[in-house]
Short mmCIF file of all heavy atoms in Angstrom, two decimals:
data_model
loop_
_atom_site.label_atom_id
_atom_site.label_comp_id
_atom_site.label_asym_id
_atom_site.label_seq_id
_atom_site.Cartn_x
_atom_site.Cartn_y
_atom_site.Cartn_z
N SER A 71 89.55 49.81 67.69
CA SER A 71 89.88 49.92 69.13
C SER A 71 91.22 50.63 69.36
O SER A 71 91.51 51.03 70.47
CB SER A 71 89.94 48.55 69.78
OG SER A 71 90.88 47.71 69.12
N SER A 72 92.04 50.81 68.35
CA SER A 72 93.35 51.44 68.53
C SER A 72 93.34 52.91 68.09
O SER A 72 94.32 53.63 68.41
CB SER A 72 94.42 50.73 67.71
OG SER A 72 94.54 49.39 68.08
N LEU A 73 92.34 53.35 67.35
CA LEU A 73 92.37 54.66 66.76
C LEU A 73 91.21 55.54 67.23
O LEU A 73 90.11 55.05 67.41
CB LEU A 73 92.25 54.54 65.23
CG LEU A 73 93.50 54.14 64.45
CD1 LEU A 73 93.13 53.93 62.98
CD2 LEU A 73 94.62 55.16 64.59
N LEU A 74 91.50 56.81 67.39
CA LEU A 74 90.48 57.80 67.73
C LEU A 74 90.78 59.05 66.98
O LEU A 74 91.89 59.54 66.95
CB LEU A 74 90.52 58.07 69.24
CG LEU A 74 89.43 58.96 69.81
CD1 LEU A 74 88.05 58.27 69.71
CD2 LEU A 74 89.73 59.30 71.28
N ASN A 75 89.73 59.55 66.31
CA ASN A 75 89.90 60.79 65.55
C ASN A 75 88.97 61.87 66.10
O ASN A 75 87.96 61.56 66.75
CB ASN A 75 89.51 60.55 64.08
CG ASN A 75 90.41 59.56 63.38
OD1 ASN A 75 91.63 59.54 63.59
ND2 ASN A 75 89.84 58.68 62.55
N LEU A 76 89.37 63.09 65.89
CA LEU A 76 88.49 64.22 66.22
C LEU A 76 88.47 65.14 64.98
O LEU A 76 89.48 65.73 64.63
CB LEU A 76 89.03 64.99 67.43
CG LEU A 76 88.13 66.11 67.96
CD1 LEU A 76 86.80 65.56 68.46
CD2 LEU A 76 88.82 66.89 69.08
N HIS A 77 87.31 65.17 64.39
CA HIS A 77 87.09 65.97 63.16
C HIS A 77 86.63 67.37 63.54
O HIS A 77 85.73 67.52 64.38
CB HIS A 77 86.10 65.30 62.23
CG HIS A 77 86.48 63.91 61.86
ND1 HIS A 77 87.64 63.63 61.13
CD2 HIS A 77 85.89 62.71 62.10
CE1 HIS A 77 87.74 62.35 60.94
NE2 HIS A 77 86.70 61.74 61.50
N LEU A 78 87.28 68.34 62.95
CA LEU A 78 87.06 69.74 63.28
C LEU A 78 86.50 70.51 62.09
O LEU A 78 87.05 70.38 60.95
CB LEU A 78 88.40 70.38 63.73
CG LEU A 78 89.24 69.58 64.70
CD1 LEU A 78 90.63 70.26 64.87
CD2 LEU A 78 88.53 69.44 66.02
N HIS A 79 85.46 71.30 62.31
CA HIS A 79 84.87 72.03 61.19
C HIS A 79 84.24 73.31 61.72
O HIS A 79 83.52 73.30 62.71
CB HIS A 79 83.82 71.18 60.50
CG HIS A 79 83.03 71.94 59.50
ND1 HIS A 79 83.62 72.59 58.42
CD2 HIS A 79 81.70 72.18 59.34
CE1 HIS A 79 82.70 73.17 57.68
NE2 HIS A 79 81.53 72.92 58.19
N ALA A 80 84.53 74.41 61.05
CA ALA A 80 83.96 75.72 61.41
C ALA A 80 84.25 76.09 62.86
O ALA A 80 83.38 76.53 63.61
CB ALA A 80 82.45 75.72 61.13
N LEU A 81 85.51 75.93 63.26
CA LEU A 81 85.87 76.26 64.66
C LEU A 81 85.97 77.74 64.83
O LEU A 81 86.09 78.52 63.85
CB LEU A 81 87.20 75.59 65.01
CG LEU A 81 87.24 74.09 65.03
CD1 LEU A 81 88.51 73.61 65.73
CD2 LEU A 81 86.03 73.48 65.72
N GLN A 82 85.92 78.13 66.10
CA GLN A 82 86.05 79.53 66.50
C GLN A 82 87.38 79.78 67.14
O GLN A 82 88.00 78.85 67.67
CB GLN A 82 84.93 79.87 67.49
CG GLN A 82 83.51 79.58 66.98
CD GLN A 82 83.17 80.45 65.78
OE1 GLN A 82 83.37 81.67 65.86
NE2 GLN A 82 82.68 79.83 64.72
N PRO A 83 87.86 81.02 67.18
CA PRO A 83 89.15 81.29 67.80
C PRO A 83 89.19 80.81 69.27
O PRO A 83 90.28 80.37 69.72
CB PRO A 83 89.26 82.83 67.73
CG PRO A 83 88.52 83.16 66.49
CD PRO A 83 87.34 82.20 66.44
N GLU A 84 88.08 80.83 69.99
CA GLU A 84 88.07 80.40 71.36
C GLU A 84 88.26 78.88 71.51
O GLU A 84 88.43 78.37 72.64
CB GLU A 84 86.79 80.79 72.07
CG GLU A 84 85.53 80.30 71.49
CD GLU A 84 84.90 81.31 70.54
OE1 GLU A 84 85.64 82.14 69.91
OE2 GLU A 84 83.66 81.28 70.37
N ASP A 85 88.22 78.18 70.40
CA ASP A 85 88.51 76.70 70.41
C ASP A 85 89.98 76.42 70.43
O ASP A 85 90.41 75.26 70.53
CB ASP A 85 87.85 76.04 69.22
CG ASP A 85 86.34 76.11 69.27
OD1 ASP A 85 85.75 76.01 70.36
OD2 ASP A 85 85.75 76.33 68.18
N SER A 86 90.80 77.46 70.30
CA SER A 86 92.24 77.29 70.36
C SER A 86 92.59 76.73 71.75
O SER A 86 92.19 77.30 72.79
CB SER A 86 92.97 78.61 70.14
OG SER A 86 92.69 79.10 68.84
N ALA A 87 93.35 75.65 71.78
CA ALA A 87 93.66 74.94 73.03
C ALA A 87 94.60 73.78 72.73
O ALA A 87 94.94 73.50 71.61
CB ALA A 87 92.38 74.41 73.68
N LEU A 88 94.99 73.10 73.83
CA LEU A 88 95.71 71.82 73.73
C LEU A 88 94.66 70.74 73.77
O LEU A 88 93.88 70.65 74.70
CB LEU A 88 96.70 71.71 74.87
CG LEU A 88 97.59 70.44 74.89
CD1 LEU A 88 98.57 70.43 73.71
CD2 LEU A 88 98.31 70.33 76.23
N TYR A 89 94.67 69.89 72.74
CA TYR A 89 93.70 68.76 72.70
C TYR A 89 94.46 67.49 73.02
O TYR A 89 95.44 67.11 72.36
CB TYR A 89 93.04 68.71 71.32
CG TYR A 89 92.01 69.84 71.17
CD1 TYR A 89 92.44 71.08 70.77
CD2 TYR A 89 90.71 69.64 71.55
CE1 TYR A 89 91.54 72.13 70.70
CE2 TYR A 89 89.79 70.69 71.45
CZ TYR A 89 90.23 71.95 71.06
OH TYR A 89 89.34 72.99 70.98
N LEU A 90 93.99 66.83 74.07
CA LEU A 90 94.62 65.66 74.61
C LEU A 90 93.79 64.42 74.36
O LEU A 90 92.56 64.43 74.52
CB LEU A 90 94.82 65.82 76.11
CG LEU A 90 95.77 66.92 76.56
CD1 LEU A 90 95.52 67.29 78.02
CD2 LEU A 90 97.22 66.54 76.38
N CYS A 91 94.47 63.36 74.00
CA CYS A 91 93.84 62.05 73.87
C CYS A 91 94.35 61.18 75.02
O CYS A 91 95.51 61.33 75.46
CB CYS A 91 94.24 61.42 72.55
SG CYS A 91 93.65 59.74 72.30
N ALA A 92 93.53 60.32 75.51
CA ALA A 92 93.94 59.39 76.54
C ALA A 92 93.29 58.06 76.29
O ALA A 92 92.28 57.95 75.55
CB ALA A 92 93.54 59.86 77.94
N SER A 93 93.88 56.99 76.89
CA SER A 93 93.26 55.66 76.77
C SER A 93 93.38 54.97 78.12
O SER A 93 94.22 55.32 78.96
CB SER A 93 93.89 54.82 75.67
OG SER A 93 95.20 54.42 76.06
N SER A 94 92.49 54.00 78.35
CA SER A 94 92.53 53.22 79.59
C SER A 94 92.04 51.83 79.24
O SER A 94 91.39 51.62 78.24
CB SER A 94 91.68 53.86 80.68
OG SER A 94 90.27 53.77 80.35
N PRO A 95 92.34 50.86 80.09
CA PRO A 95 91.92 49.48 79.80
C PRO A 95 90.43 49.31 79.61
O PRO A 95 90.00 48.43 78.90
CB PRO A 95 92.44 48.69 81.01
CG PRO A 95 93.60 49.48 81.54
CD PRO A 95 93.21 50.91 81.29
N GLY A 96 89.62 50.16 80.27
CA GLY A 96 88.19 50.05 80.15
C GLY A 96 87.61 49.12 81.19
O GLY A 96 86.60 48.47 80.95
N LEU A 97 88.30 49.06 82.34
CA LEU A 97 87.86 48.15 83.41
C LEU A 97 86.84 48.85 84.25
O LEU A 97 87.14 49.45 85.28
CB LEU A 97 89.07 47.75 84.28
CG LEU A 97 90.20 47.03 83.52
CD1 LEU A 97 91.41 46.88 84.47
CD2 LEU A 97 89.72 45.73 82.99
N TYR A 98 85.58 48.75 83.85
CA TYR A 98 84.51 49.37 84.63
C TYR A 98 84.42 48.73 85.99
O TYR A 98 84.37 47.52 86.12
CB TYR A 98 83.19 49.21 83.88
CG TYR A 98 82.05 49.99 84.46
CD1 TYR A 98 81.85 51.32 84.10
CD2 TYR A 98 81.17 49.38 85.39
CE1 TYR A 98 80.82 52.03 84.66
CE2 TYR A 98 80.15 50.09 85.95
CZ TYR A 98 79.96 51.43 85.56
OH TYR A 98 78.94 52.16 86.10
#
Side-chain angles (χ1 to χ4, degrees):
Chain A
S71 59
S72 300
L73 282 175
L74 186 66
N75 298 319
L76 186 63
H77 303 297
L78 313 172
H79 173 56
L81 294 194
Q82 303 296 310
E84 59 265 28
D85 296 321
S86 297
L88 182 67
Y89 287 84
L90 295 161
C91 174
S93 72
S94 69
L97 300 172
Y98 189 85

